[in-house]
Amino acid sequence: MKTHLLKIPLLLASAAFIFISAKSFKEVKGLKDYYKKYFPMGVAVRPSELSSEESKLILNEFSSITPENAMKMGPIHPREDRYFWRDADTIVNFAVRNKLKVRGHTLCWHAQTPNWLFIDSTGNNVSKDVLLQRLKSHINTVVSRYKGKIYAWDVVNEAIADGPEFLRKTKWTEIAGEEFIEKAFEYAHAADPNAVLFYNDYNTEIPAKRDKIFKLLKGLKDKGVPVHGVGLQAHWSISTPTREELEKSIEMFSSLGLQVQFTELDISVYSGRQGGQLIQGQQQPQQQKSVFTAEMEQQQLEKYKMVFDVFRKYKKNVTGVTFWNVSDKYTWLDGRGRKNFPLLFDQELKPKKAYWEVVKF
Ligand code: G3I
């Protein structure tokens, strides 16, 4: 009896130790926790980030991931008879292990697409039927592989022209006309009837382009094509979009009964559309040195505050917000002689002032 009594304090002490150590490993609240009652918070990732210091930030802040490049046609299907699954599998397996949602990106695009799709053995364009058959085989193979693990797909990416034409002139339209778009959605739906299927594009707040995207999506919906949502990429900058442009876009696409997701959010510290992109050959204006100035930081946090105020206002229509890249350490916007600082985490993976504006509500 005596020895049993001695054991009680020991048991209590070890229980307390386990409780304290469990609590101390509980990370601080992340974006996903602040927005639990609104929409999933996601981020585009590269396989290497899932086994480096970024992985802790990704798991603490986000509940959804998107492969930045690994599932595009070129990287995943470089030759007709060859698929490269390693990088896409790494990302999906990480998500499954950590109970994260996955947005597949992207099944049909004009960029990062291998030329073999469009030509025959003599180097001439294949017929429309052959191209559509190849597209169907690609989509069926990729979507079936991840069925039940990928909840949403960017089925067609950036098919609308930036200029005055309706559709972007690509090998897809040259060979198959506009029909490739509806076929891509039909193939994806057949491969996974439970997946949520998105049309994805950028500059969706510019009225002229927004109207063309609306016309495309209304036409697809009217024909009964299985398109369920629109991905507004949200490559914005300190000067775009306005609140009015943003609210108008959400209202217009929601009126079609589509889910709205912001799929590639970043806010460039250089003004202009599409992330303040330097047009090829455009000289970097002298004042735009690669320094994250206090003025840039203030302008950026005001823009982040505004867009998240709008996202929360339309939480009934917005079903996801995904950042494009994890931190300022690496952003697709770097290059052409300048560094950009478009995200909520700095180059040391620490939250910036804009982060606290996004979570303060
Ligand atoms: O993988 C090759 C590597 O083997 C090679 O050594 C290296 C140098 O040539 O290139 C590597 O491929 C690069 C790829 O990113 C992976 O890093 C491509 O050149 C490069 O063009 C590609 O850029 C990607 C870009 O899409 C392609 O258009 C960016 O990382 C990616 O962030 C960006 O993402 C797009 C979305 O998919 C669609 N919306 C716009 C967004 C920004 O452009």
Side-chain angles (χ1 to χ4, degrees):
M1 187 54 181
K2 217 170 171 188
T3 47
H4 281 310
L5 284 174
L6 276 176
K7 278 183 184 168
I8 291 172
L10 203 60
L11 282 173
L12 286 175
S14 44
F17 173 77
I18 290 163
F19 176 73
I20 290 161
S21 41
K23 258 183 91 54
S24 59
F25 282 111
K26 174 155 178 21
E27 293 288 352
V28 290
K29 208 170 163 181
L31 292 166
K32 64 184 180 353
D33 308 304
Y34 287 101
Y35 279 86
K36 196 166 42 186
K37 293 195 173 69
Y38 291 88
F39 31 70
M41 295 288 263
V43 65
V45 299
R46 292 168 290 151
S48 59
E49 292 171 324
L50 307 181
S51 52
S52 61
E53 54 179 340
E54 278 84 354
S55 62
K56 281 202 293 293
L57 186 157
I58 291 165
L59 292 176
N60 193 59
E61 300 290 341
F62 301 104
S63 59
S64 174
I65 55 179
T66 301
E68 181 184 14
N69 289 294
M71 288 185 185
K72 292 169 179 172
M73 298 183 100
I76 206 168
H77 195 181
R79 295 202 316 265
E80 184 165 19
D81 60 348
R82 169 132 165 65
Y83 282 89
F84 179 73
W85 297 116
R86 187 195 69 195
D87 289 355
D89 283 356
T90 299
I91 292 169
V92 172
N93 294 340
F94 178 86
V96 170
R97 268 199 318 278
N98 293 288
K99 297 184 176 53
L100 302 177
K101 298 165 83 83
V102 182
R103 295 192 85 263
H105 174 83
T106 175
L107 295 172
C108 183
W109 190 22
H110 63 277
Q112 287 178 280
T113 297
N115 201 38
W116 67 260
L117 273 159
F118 305 111
I119 56 173
D120 63 20
S121 54
T122 66
N124 294 319
N125 280 356
V126 292
S127 68
K128 174 176 176 180
D129 288 348
V130 168
L131 179 57
L132 291 179
Q133 184 49 46
R134 288 176 173 177
L135 177 61
K136 181 176 183 178
S137 173
H138 173 81
I139 290 177
N140 185 52
T141 304
V142 175
V143 174
S144 302
R145 184 180 183 88
Y146 300 115
K147 189 171 179 178
K149 298 174 181 174
I150 291 187
Y151 86 97
W153 277 101
D154 290 335
V155 176
V156 173
N157 193 44
E158 304 176 9
I160 292 295
D162 285 314
E165 321 81 46
F166 177 49
L167 291 180
R168 182 189 298 270
K169 283 192 174 23
T170 66
K171 293 298 284 185
W172 293 106
T173 54
E174 180 189 331
I175 296 171
E178 184 173 343
E179 196 181 353
F180 83 93
I181 299 173
E182 64 190 74
K183 289 297 182 191
F185 280 96
E186 285 165 11
Y187 301 153
H189 187 62
D192 184 355
N194 296 320
V196 185
L197 305 181
F198 284 79
Y199 171 77
N200 194 51
D201 214 329
Y202 64 89
N203 282 352
T204 50
E205 291 65 51
I206 298 177
K209 187 168 183 183
R210 175 174 60 204
D211 291 348
K212 290 190 287 185
I213 295 171
F214 182 88
K215 176 186 167 192
L216 171 71
L217 294 175
K218 185 176 187 318
L220 293 173
K221 294 290 286 181
D222 290 348
K223 288 171 81 172
V225 173
V227 51
H228 310 121
V230 60
L232 310 183
Q233 289 183 11
H235 290 300
W236 293 328
S237 77
I238 50 176
S239 65
T240 62
T242 65
R243 177 187 286 270
E244 294 68 30
E245 288 172 338
L246 178 53
E247 296 205 6
K248 177 78 176 164
S249 289
I250 296 172
E251 288 172 359
M252 274 182 72
F253 294 117
S254 301
S255 72
L256 291 173
L258 292 170
Q259 293 189 30
V260 173
Q261 290 203 5
F262 294 92
T263 52
E264 306 184 14
L265 176 57
D266 43 32
I267 295 183
S268 167
V269 295
Y270 307 105
S271 57
R273 294 281 183 189
Q274 182 57 320
Q277 278 295 290
L278 276 178
I279 313 299
Q280 199 72 30
Q282 178 188 15
Q283 284 309 312
Q284 176 176 325
Q286 275 316 307
Q287 81 280 8
Q288 284 181 343
K289 290 282 179 254
S290 292
V291 174
F292 189 45
T293 65
E295 186 193 7
M296 286 174 176
E297 180 152 51
Q298 185 57 33
Q299 290 173 313
Q300 185 185 58
L301 73 84
E302 285 167 9
K303 189 63 76 179
Y304 264 119
K305 178 175 178 4
M306 183 275 283
V307 303
F308 271 89
D309 284 351
V310 174
F311 295 168
R312 292 194 302 270
K313 175 180 175 183
Y314 288 92
K315 72 175 191 178
K316 288 190 175 58
N317 313 95
V318 177
T319 62
V321 174
T322 294
F323 289 85
W324 204 251
N325 303 130
V326 176
S327 76
D328 291 349
K329 185 171 153 188
Y330 162 81
T331 164
W332 73 281
L333 287 166
D334 285 343
R336 299 202 183 112
R338 72 184 184 191
K339 171 93 188 98
N340 214 311
F341 310 88
L343 296 158
L344 292 184
F345 298 93
D346 66 20
Q347 297 176 80
E348 286 69 47
L349 308 189
K350 295 285 177 287
K352 294 155 65 175
K353 284 182 183 171
Y355 177 98
W356 303 110
E357 288 302 323
V358 166
V359 301
K360 185 178 62 180
F361 59 88

